[in-house]
Amino acid sequence: SQQGEEDPQALSIQEGENATMNCSYKTSINNLQWYRQNSGRGLVHLILIRSNEREKHSGRLRVTLDTSKKSSSLLITASRAADTASYFCATDAGFGNEKLTFGTGTRLTIIP
Amino acid sequence: DARVTQTPRHKVTEMGQEVTMRCQPILGHNTVFWYRQTMMQGLELLAYFRNRAPLDDSGMPKDRFSAEMPDATLATLKIQPSEPRDSAVYFCASGAPGGHQETQYFGPGTRLLVL
């Protein structure tokens, strides 16, 4: 079964707007990662946030983590057409275990 | 520009045939993962290796699937015999050694269609 569940399943916004995606998970984690997948391609790592961190930034990306609610959010600011892709959260199985469990993904469409 | 490579990129075969997918991890990476992605099930972990040793293949149907790492530069995933339900995109990913190197680097995938 999937550890992470993304919400919403699909999101369409106008170029320039901000996009927010959420991820919920079930068990304790060491870290949580977000990946992007363009159509027909492999996944690309975007950002990693550790369980003792609450917020992290990378360029136009902002990730938050609330371990008490077992949830994370990914914010993409000033969206561009090139941001159109599916976004997945992935949780690990604990320190020393490299296994990741991926969520169901959010399909983001940026309308030019 | 180091990247994971996978061959073939596309494979169409008939039910009952053997399928072999190959992956070349990024040089120096010591973990290799095989995933299967379908619309219905999403991204599922099939097997993973560290330093060429299989650590977890619980996600893999053992009766028809097998995964190996003959050497540090090659990982293989075989399906024998293949069935239509095996149709999916199969991804290989590799990870660097180190205590906090959890990031995985994905290949472009092998799109498999079993008729």
Side-chain angles (χ1 to χ4, degrees), chain B residues 64-77:
Chain B
R64 299 183 300 108
F65 284 60
S66 63
E68 296 178 344
M69 279 202 74
D71 61 61
T73 63
L74 177 64
T76 62
L77 179 66

Side-chain angles (χ1 to χ4, degrees), chain B residues 47-61:
Chain B
Y48 108 86
F49 295 77
R50 186 194 297 147
N51 297 323
R52 296 176 55 199
L55 289 191
D56 190 335
D57 61 1
S58 58
M60 201 165 65

